[in-house]
Amino acid sequence: MRDGYGRPTVVRDAAARLGRTQVRRWAVVGAVALTAVVWPGSAGAGAVPGCAAGTGPYQREMEKYVEQPVDGRQSVADCVAILAFQRSAGVRPADGYAGLATYRMMLVAQARKNPNAAKKCPVRSYKVACVDLSRQLVWVQQGSKVLYEPVPVRSGRDGYETRTGWFRVYWRSIDHHSTLYDNAPMPYSQFFSGGQAFHGVYGDLFKGGSHGCVNLRYDDAKRLWKALRLDDAVYVWGVKPGTWRTADPRPVAEVPDESLAGDPPPPPAVHTPPPVDGS
């Protein structure tokens, strides 16, 4: 059967169900229900309305996540399962293609239950904004409680890497515009290191890199604005994929929570706008 848009209803229904188990079940149903038609470069995958994508650069990673056979070659079942995940995660376009945006949202989904499972972000009695450059994620925690669930970010590109270590939010501007990069809009800016800030963007978050700022989708930046305050701690670690860092990230000191060592710097006596900013 097909819906009002000409799509197989199995594809529509799969996308409406959340969770990897459901995705896997409906992918199997889709593989049985749909007639496979080979298209160039697809390694034998089935071309069906609404799910005609070929093999993507993150095929194996997505096959593993949606619990399909990991062979790096798109199949009807792969396409339907990936498409269902894309629709549940809000990825656009939702076409079954295992591209960068889909992979990045898969990392978000993986991290949602316990973003700090690897214990890379220091656990403190106060609020800490955790920025994982390697996975390109940010979340906010206090003790073992996650106050702001992980969302995708875009950090500094090669030559403009986001600085690592402990920082504090020292200046906030809800409707900021860059003084350095063509008056570029930087909504919900929260500066934490020189000109580097958390802020929203209007374009595609998954393309390229910033000039050092930690970019978020507009709605995520708006929610982060509500989650943080002046003087809140920020901890940044890791390396953005595709960049080369000349200095090793500073390690977290293994010290008691009460110690000053390994903690963020004290808040500045006066909060003043940064002299320059990134985007």
Side-chain angles (χ1 to χ4, degrees), residues 3-275:
D3 63 15
Y5 297 94
R7 300 169 298 189
T9 54
V10 65
V11 174
R12 179 202 63 196
D13 294 342
R17 298 168 184 268
L18 303 180
R20 285 163 45 183
T21 301
Q22 290 91 335
V23 167
R24 183 184 184 189
R25 182 182 302 121
W26 279 91
V28 172
V29 172
V32 173
L34 303 174
T35 302
V37 178
V38 177
W39 69 89
S42 67
V48 297
C51 202
T55 299
Y58 297 93
Q59 190 71 34
R60 290 181 179 273
E61 292 87 348
M62 290 307 304
E63 286 170 342
K64 181 178 180 180
Y65 182 75
V66 298
E67 299 181 352
Q68 291 297 305
V70 180
D71 58 10
R73 305 174 69 181
Q74 181 82 306
S75 68
V76 174
D78 291 345
C79 191
V80 173
I82 294 170
L83 185 149
F85 168 76
Q86 290 171 329
R87 290 182 174 174
S88 69
V91 177
R92 296 291 182 270
D95 55 7
Y97 182 72
L100 177 60
T102 301
Y103 171 70
R104 292 286 310 284
M105 291 308 297
M106 183 268 285
L107 294 180
V108 173
Q110 281 184 327
R112 187 166 290 123
K113 184 176 181 180
N114 183 9
N116 202 29
K119 304 187 188 316
K120 294 293 183 68
C121 190
V123 175
R124 297 291 188 261
S125 60
Y126 46 81
K127 192 184 301 180
V128 179
C130 305
V131 184
D132 183 343
L133 299 181
S134 298
R135 290 187 294 172
Q136 292 288 283
L137 299 175
V138 65
W139 68 90
V140 179
Q141 64 186 34
Q142 186 168 2
S144 60
K145 184 178 181 180
V146 176
L147 305 178
Y148 176 94
E149 291 190 345
V151 297
V153 299
R154 177 177 61 197
S155 64
R157 62 177 177 263
D158 219 7
Y160 295 90
E161 290 90 344
T162 303
R163 290 182 282 275
T164 57
W166 276 112
F167 308 98
R168 283 189 182 274
V169 175
Y170 69 91
W171 193 64
R172 297 181 358 130
S173 176
I174 199 168
D175 190 26
H176 192 72
H177 285 72
S178 175
T179 59
L180 194 61
Y181 299 107
D182 302 320
N183 204 39
M186 299 169 60
Y188 298 101
S189 287
Q190 303 190 75
F191 290 84
F192 59 86
S193 175
Q196 297 186 349
F198 298 113
H199 70 81
V201 295
Y202 295 102
D204 186 352
L205 184 73
F206 304 115
K207 286 186 177 179
S210 73
H211 287 95
C213 286
V214 177
N215 299 162
L216 299 91
R217 296 173 298 186
Y218 182 89
D219 288 344
D220 291 339
K222 184 177 181 179
R223 291 191 303 108
L224 187 63
W225 176 272
K226 296 177 181 179
L228 297 178
R229 296 290 184 269
L230 283 174
D231 297 332
D232 278 343
V234 178
Y235 187 73
V236 185
W237 75 96
V239 179
K240 183 183 188 297
T243 61
W244 180 74
R245 187 180 297 280
T246 57
D248 291 333
R250 284 171 279 181
V252 181
E254 296 296 331
V255 295
D257 190 41
E258 296 77 19
S259 173
L260 292 178
D263 282 335
V270 178
H271 296 288
T272 57

